[in-house]
């Protein structure tokens, strides 16, 4: 394979998706000879997944940095915000006024927090937890102050635990009737709530925000729930979902739904422009997990290197989480469908819980809390549609013996 010497590839977005794309391209001999990466944030690429342990003081800031994309023909430009795409001239306009020509363009602008439409949401000391800048803001909160986290999903709970370790009094508001309702069943969510409560975090489920109230300086002072309760708040962290950053695609006249619409090769209706990661929409669906984004990268790299790509197809992927030092692993439906059998093992003393969903002698879903070592093997059995047979009775106590039984039968 020979290097594509004529193409200038521009990547808008220096987040994890853009970084993964470029580093994967750098391993290909037939990559575009010139690659420019434009990042809106002032910092170089970093691992957003590690923001939570950094906030909690478990990691130094330098440990978040992703490897530098250093190679001949590659230029990384942090703090370079793109404000317009002129498709007819293949030209980008930066906020600085600079114009930059591209031959092929990848939009990897990620997503932004979804803000509730309530009065006071624009007050000072109300923000999110998705960037290094957000983390710096949260680290400045004074010990003994009151923080309210809106959202009891992974990101909200990680922000809550990090603030707790900084000495802040934290309250979590969750609209659903349980924490992490998209990943955990009622038992696992209840255990998680009990653990966080013992650590000093106040959890309010079934709580819906009505409004935020500010002080004379324009900073948040309190918030009111729809049931009339009022909570003191020196800062409010919104972690209640994400919205794809599709503005550039919309301004450029590309097809946009929730995200920038692309086909199975990540191409927009403009053959020179592609979208990747959280800002992209494939078959009406957007994504927010790392593994599907890595799958998209593999397809797009082949496209950009003029190879025949395997079409991107969203594959099932497990959710691997670590919330406040507690390991969680889940896949498949959270609630059983009619006819499904539920196998459960619970050891409250050691904080170990497993719940498997079985249908037609096959694993369809699992929730593991505490000891998650069997998660990958259970997921493999589910994705390969393996009949459990006599191994079924052993599964709930551990996958190792069950796998041995299956191998013996085979």
């Amino acid at each position: 394979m020979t290097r594509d010497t004529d193409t200038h590839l521009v990547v808008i977005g220096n987040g994890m998706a853009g970084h993964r794309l470029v580093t994967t391209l750098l391993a290909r001999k037939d990559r575009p000879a010139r690659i420019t990466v434009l990042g809106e944030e002032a910092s170089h690429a970093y691992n957003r997944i590690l923001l939570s342990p950094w906030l909690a003081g478990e990691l130094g800031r330098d440990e978040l940095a992703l490897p530098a994309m250093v190679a001949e023909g590659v230029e990384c430009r942090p703090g370079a915000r793109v404000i317009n795409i002129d498709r007819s001239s293949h030209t980008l306009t930066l906020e600085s006024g600079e114009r930059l020509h591209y031959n092929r363009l990848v939009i990897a602008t990620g997503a932004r927090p979804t803000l509730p439409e309530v009065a006071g949401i624009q007050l000072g000391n109300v923000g999110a937890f998705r960037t290094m800048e957000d983390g710096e803001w949260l680290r400045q909160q004074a010990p003994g102050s009151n923080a309210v986290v809106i959202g009891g999903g992974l990101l909200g709970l990680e922000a809550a635990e990090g603030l707790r370790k900084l000495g802040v009094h934290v309250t979590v508001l969750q609209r659903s009737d349980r924490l992490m309702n998209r990943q955990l069943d009622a038992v696992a969510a209840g255990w998680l709530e009990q653990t966080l409560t013992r650590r000093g975090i106040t959890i309010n489920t079934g709580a819906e925000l009505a409004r935020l109230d500010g002080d004379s300086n324009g900073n948040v002072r309190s918030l009111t729930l729809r049931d009339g309760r009022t909570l003191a708040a020196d800062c409010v962290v919104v972690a209640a979902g994400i919205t794809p950053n599709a503005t550039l695609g919309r301004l450029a006249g590309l097809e946009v739904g929730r995200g920038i619409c692309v086909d199975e090769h990540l191409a927009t209706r403009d053959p020179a422009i592609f979208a990747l990661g959280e800002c992209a929409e494939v078959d009406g669906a957007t994504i927010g997990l790392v593994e599907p984004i890595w799958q998209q990268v593999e397809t797009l790299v082949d496209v950009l290197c003029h190879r025949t790509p395997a079409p991107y197809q969203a594959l099932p992927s497990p959710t691997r989480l670590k919330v406040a030092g507690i390991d969680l692993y889940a896949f498949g439906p959270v609630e059983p469908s009619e006819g499904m059998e539920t196998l459960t093992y619970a050891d409250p003393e050691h904080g170990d819980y497993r719940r498997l969903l079985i249908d037609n002698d096959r694993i369809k879903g699992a929730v593991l809390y505490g000891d998650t070592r069997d998660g990958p093997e259970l997921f493999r059995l589910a994705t390969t549609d393996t009949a459990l047979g006599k191994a079924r009775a052993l599964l709930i106590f551990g996958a190792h013996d069950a796998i041995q039984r299956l191998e013996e039968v085979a």
Side-chain angles (χ1 to χ4, degrees):
M1 296 286 184
T2 58
R3 180 91 29 104
D4 178 356
T5 58
D6 297 326
T7 298
H8 180 202
L9 171 66
V10 177
V11 180
I12 304 175
N14 193 26
M16 293 178 65
H19 182 274
R20 177 81 169 207
L21 174 69
V22 175
T23 53
T24 306
L25 280 169
L26 294 183
R28 298 284 188 91
K29 293 181 179 180
D30 50 351
R31 67 170 174 86
R34 186 183 175 200
I35 302 174
T36 301
V37 182
L38 305 174
E40 184 171 334
E41 290 187 60
S43 58
H44 286 278
Y46 57 90
N47 188 339
R48 295 183 194 277
I49 296 172
L50 299 180
L51 281 172
S52 298
W54 171 62
L55 173 63
E58 298 167 3
L59 294 176
R61 179 169 178 152
D62 292 345
E63 294 177 85
L64 274 65
L66 291 170
M69 295 177 284
V70 179
E72 181 183 355
V74 177
E75 181 183 15
C76 297
R77 299 177 57 181
R81 181 170 177 260
V82 177
I83 61 173
N84 188 60
I85 301 170
D86 186 334
R87 291 165 51 197
S88 62
S89 64
H90 283 209
T91 303
L92 306 176
T93 302
L94 278 57
E95 192 172 43
S96 64
E98 178 186 354
R99 292 169 64 83
L100 185 67
H101 182 267
Y102 68 87
N103 298 110
R104 297 179 114 181
L105 177 67
V106 175
I107 304 174
T109 45
R112 63 186 181 278
T114 302
L115 299 179
E117 295 181 0
V118 297
I121 197 66
Q122 301 301 329
L123 287 168
N125 269 344
V126 177
F129 182 41
R130 280 187 63 82
T131 67
M132 191 87 75
E133 185 178 358
D134 294 335
E136 293 284 10
W137 164 60
L138 292 177
R139 288 165 67 97
Q140 293 170 8
Q141 303 309 309
S145 62
N146 295 303
V148 177
V149 177
I150 300 172
L154 171 63
L155 198 59
L157 297 182
E158 288 186 333
E161 176 68 359
L163 286 166
R164 181 194 71 82
K165 289 184 175 181
L166 296 176
V168 176
H169 300 306
V170 184
T171 298
V172 175
L173 304 181
Q174 170 71 330
R175 188 172 182 175
S176 173
D177 61 352
R178 65 176 184 263
L179 298 176
M180 298 188 65
N181 57 297
R182 294 185 178 181
Q183 291 87 21
L184 303 183
D185 67 356
V187 174
W191 284 24
L192 179 58
E193 180 175 341
Q194 291 171 15
T195 299
L196 296 176
T197 299
R198 285 195 297 268
R199 294 181 185 180
I201 296 175
T202 301
I203 307 293
N204 287 319
T205 56
E208 192 170 351
L209 181 65
R211 72 173 191 271
L212 305 174
D213 293 303
D215 59 21
S216 57
N217 295 318
N219 293 320
V220 68
R221 177 188 62 197
S222 64
L223 55 80
T224 300
L225 304 181
R226 291 204 181 276
D227 62 10
R229 285 179 293 166
T230 299
L231 305 176
D234 299 302
C235 83
V236 173
V237 184
V238 181
I242 58 174
T243 299
N245 284 325
T247 301
L248 280 176
R250 188 175 289 109
L251 291 174
L254 300 174
E255 183 182 355
V256 174
R258 284 199 75 237
I260 300 171
C261 298
V262 295
D263 63 16
E264 69 275 14
H265 296 147
L266 289 307
T268 69
R269 64 184 183 186
D270 183 326
I273 302 179
F274 306 83
L276 171 71
E278 291 173 322
C279 70
E281 179 179 321
V282 185
D283 290 332
T286 57
I287 56 176
L289 298 175
V290 167
E291 288 191 26
I293 295 175
W294 286 184
Q295 294 167 14
Q296 289 185 352
V297 165
E298 293 302 316
T299 294
L300 186 51
V301 163
D302 279 343
V303 172
L304 297 174
C305 292
H306 303 286
R307 300 188 187 187
T308 302
Y312 166 73
Q313 182 179 10
L315 300 175
S317 59
T319 301
R320 302 180 182 90
L321 308 171
K322 194 176 188 70
V323 178
I326 302 164
D327 288 311
L328 307 169
Y329 189 103
F331 63 85
V334 175
E335 302 296 341
S337 301
E338 184 177 354
M340 281 188 180
E341 184 180 1
T342 301
L343 302 181
T344 304
Y345 170 85
D347 182 356
E349 183 178 351
H350 295 94
D352 185 13
Y353 173 74
R354 303 172 204 167
R355 197 282 321 266
L356 305 181
L357 298 180
I358 309 293
D359 188 26
N360 193 28
D361 201 36
R362 270 83 171 166
I363 298 175
K364 297 301 181 181
V367 173
L368 281 69
Y369 179 106
D371 184 352
T372 63
R373 289 174 295 180
D374 287 340
E377 281 298 334
L378 294 172
F379 181 68
R380 183 183 66 80
L381 291 175
T383 54
T384 55
D385 199 34
T386 300
L388 301 175
K390 294 181 179 180
R392 174 188 162 286
L394 300 173
L395 270 179
I396 200 65
F397 301 105
H400 178 73
D401 290 342
I403 297 298
Q404 279 193 326
R405 177 65 62 87
L406 286 170
E407 291 174 348
E408 290 171 1
V409 172

